[in-house]
Amino acid sequence: MGGRVTISTHVLDAQRGRPAVGLAVRLEHDGETVAQARTGEDGRITGWPSERAGVYRLVFDTGDFAPFFPEVVLTFRVTEPGEHHHVPLLLSPFAYSTYRGS
């Protein structure tokens, strides 16, 4: 387990056809917040480090972008601590999707 996990996300506002700028996101591990930030001009947050395998949660404060979903929570498992994990969110008013990116 000696590697370094980096976690990133990218939020796209499908209704407007552009990145979701200024969206608050927090990263949780084992029920604790380990990082928090707002998406930049390109809708990204990059380089959140963690050195532990396990279950993580990205919690997106989406209320200003999709009021029907005031919060979106994406839960994922890190099994290889040395790998990068990119977890994008595509957001629209009444739906959202995600996948493991590269």
Side-chain angles (χ1 to χ4, degrees):
M1 294 223 182
R4 179 178 168 146
V5 174
T6 58
I7 297 170
S8 62
T9 190
H10 185 200
V11 185
L12 297 172
D13 183 339
Q15 180 179 8
R16 293 175 182 87
R18 57 185 55 147
V21 177
L23 190 141
V25 184
R26 75 178 180 270
L27 176 66
E28 298 177 351
H29 183 263
D30 289 339
E32 291 184 33
T33 298
V34 295
Q36 51 191 345
R38 290 189 177 270
T39 55
E41 292 297 316
D42 60 356
R44 295 178 187 273
I45 298 172
T46 61
W48 277 345
S50 181
E51 298 174 356
R52 300 176 287 173
V55 176
Y56 286 80
R57 294 169 24 114
L58 282 170
V59 182
F60 300 83
D61 182 9
T62 54
D64 289 342
F65 293 86
F68 185 74
F69 298 108
E71 180 179 87
V72 172
V73 179
L74 303 180
T75 305
F76 59 99
R77 183 180 311 276
V78 170
T79 58
E80 297 294 329
E83 291 185 8
H84 174 68
H85 293 77
H86 183 62
V87 185
L89 175 65
L90 179 61
L91 187 61
S92 62
F94 297 102
Y96 62 87
S97 63
T98 189
Y99 57 94
R100 180 172 179 184
S102 57

